Amino acid sequence: MAETRFGVGYALAPKKQQSFIQESLVSTARSRGVDLVRIDMERPLVDQGPFDCVIHKLYGKDWRRQLQEFRDRNPNAVIIDSPEAIERLHNRISMLQVVSELKMEHQDETFGIPKQIVIYDKETLFDRQAWEGLKFPVIAKPLVADGSAKSHKMALVFNHDGLNKLKPPIVLQEFVNHGGVIFKVYVVGEYVKCVKRKSLPDVSEEEKLGSLDGLMSFSQVSNLATNERIDDKYYKMMHLADTEMPPQSFITDIAKGLRRAMNLNLFNFDVIRDARFGNRAQERAKGGRKGFGGDRWFGEEWLGKA
């Protein structure tokens, strides 16, 4: 009896291909009946294959047209994910709005998004009334979240002096001290994997008031560039390895809720824990309580297409 094999075409930017499509992955997939095939962007998609599934992370009108033509000609093929579902993720406000719509039934944990506002012009940026209810420090993020290098450029703003260096349209999100740890959650269908990564250090009251530069620029919270404010001593002191993971059932419920609401099958999102409820790594190092009873969590960022 012939072995059933599945052809999976992938369309990724060159950098993504180098990061994700390793020989070990291709070999493992092949041994399990899945043939990973690079889609040639110089040729029409409908002329390639046959593919049982197309995995992509490309944008633009021409690519959307090609996907639609492929879908019309191959109605049984699976596209992960549809451009229509991904579209909402290109705007950080609509991206995070779905988090506030989730209904979580966990009694011991609360989940939401930090306070935030959208700034479309310089006039609003310096309007103190527009800031009502929002306190420094804040994270400034581009409004557009299309996966480009520009969309990942952010800044931690300590005071009003730092506003001069910002270029609207941007989202200003209140910074929540979270123990220097961010939890990245990867979702592939019903499979959910949570890992911990280094993040921005907590900001003290002295830093809020005494920052001379007014802001600190960085690219991606969980992939920090070298900066004089952040060094290995900080992370060694905080015992990153001892930081306890969030409850798997809690994370899985969030993932399922996002998947249903957004109609996505392959995505990732970031979660942080409000340090005002205690630094879990420090408490464990001191022999303090364990577990996550009464913890407060925020969806700091989440992006479609892992």
Side-chain angles (χ1 to χ4, degrees):
M1 186 175 183
E3 178 189 16
T4 301
R5 303 198 64 82
F6 298 92
V8 177
Y10 62 87
L12 305 171
K15 286 186 177 180
K16 294 294 183 182
Q17 288 188 38
Q18 295 174 9
S19 300
F20 299 141
I21 311 300
Q22 303 295 320
E23 180 56 37
S24 58
L25 172 63
V26 176
S27 178
T28 300
R30 187 186 302 118
S31 69
R32 299 185 180 184
V34 177
D35 297 316
L36 290 175
V37 181
R38 182 181 66 84
I39 294 174
D40 185 354
M41 299 311 299
E42 300 298 321
R43 297 168 52 206
L45 177 59
V46 292
D47 293 341
Q48 301 181 61
F51 298 129
D52 298 286
C53 175
V54 171
I55 297 176
H56 71 101
K57 192 174 182 181
L58 297 177
Y59 310 104
K61 292 181 178 180
D62 180 66
W63 178 243
R64 292 186 65 157
R65 178 186 57 77
Q66 291 199 53
L67 284 176
Q68 184 60 54
E69 291 179 356
F70 177 84
R71 187 159 44 191
D72 292 342
R73 192 172 298 186
N74 303 274
N76 294 325
V78 177
I79 296 178
I80 302 178
D81 277 303
S82 74
E84 295 79 13
I86 298 171
E87 189 67 30
R88 184 174 183 177
L89 306 180
H90 290 176
N91 180 293
R92 279 194 161 88
I93 294 300
S94 59
M95 175 201 300
L96 288 171
Q97 181 61 36
V98 69
V99 175
S100 63
E101 298 170 358
L102 292 181
K103 295 182 180 180
M104 305 298 297
E105 297 181 356
H106 287 253
Q107 296 180 351
D108 292 336
E109 292 87 16
T110 60
F111 185 70
I113 58 176
K115 294 179 181 178
Q116 61 183 22
I117 58 174
V118 186
I119 302 295
Y120 291 101
D121 51 57
K122 283 281 187 177
E123 182 179 347
T124 308
L125 184 62
F126 294 101
D127 183 359
R128 297 293 182 97
Q129 291 185 344
W131 286 67
E132 187 176 0
L134 201 65
K135 299 178 181 178
F136 285 110
V138 296
I139 294 182
K141 306 177 181 181
L143 180 60
V144 176
D146 58 2
S148 64
K150 183 179 179 181
S151 70
H152 287 305
K153 290 184 178 180
M154 308 179 193
L156 181 60
V157 185
F158 295 92
N159 49 50
H160 282 279
D161 292 337
L163 300 179
N164 294 309
K165 300 178 182 180
L166 301 180
K167 296 180 179 180
I170 54 176
V171 176
L172 296 180
Q173 191 178 82
E174 194 167 297
F175 180 74
V176 177
N177 280 340
H178 52 284
V181 181
I182 195 166
F183 298 94
K184 298 193 73 67
V185 184
Y186 298 92
V187 183
V188 183
E190 295 183 359
Y191 178 80
V192 179
K193 176 69 173 180
C194 181
V195 299
K196 54 189 171 185
R197 294 284 184 265
K198 297 177 182 178
S199 182
L200 291 173
D202 289 350
V203 177
S204 65
E205 291 299 324
E206 291 76 12
E207 285 182 294
K208 293 179 185 179
L209 300 174
S211 177
L212 297 177
D213 297 333
L215 61 74
M216 179 186 73
S217 299
F218 61 93
S219 178
Q220 292 183 284
V221 173
S222 57
N223 187 25
L224 297 171
T226 302
N227 190 288
E228 64 272 12
R229 293 181 184 272
I230 306 171
D231 55 35
D232 288 338
K233 292 181 181 179
Y234 173 84
Y235 294 110
K236 290 178 181 178
M237 179 182 66
M238 60 174 274
H239 302 283
L240 177 65
D242 291 332
T243 302
E244 291 193 32
M245 301 292 286
Q248 182 63 34
S249 61
F250 178 59
I251 292 298
T252 299
D253 283 353
I254 296 173
K256 287 182 177 179
L258 292 175
R259 184 181 170 212
R260 286 195 301 267
M262 300 300 297
N263 195 28
L264 293 171
N265 293 289
L266 180 63
F267 62 95
N268 68 85
F269 60 95
D270 297 344
V271 177
I272 59 174
R273 178 180 180 278
D274 193 336
R276 287 173 293 184
F277 287 73
N279 186 308
R280 186 66 59 228
Q282 291 179 2
E283 285 184 7
R284 179 166 180 174
K286 295 176 182 177
R289 67 183 180 92
K290 297 182 180 180
F292 283 84
D295 283 348
R296 185 181 184 189
W297 297 84
F298 289 107
E300 192 279 333
E301 182 89 54
W302 74 285
L303 302 172
K305 311 298 291 174

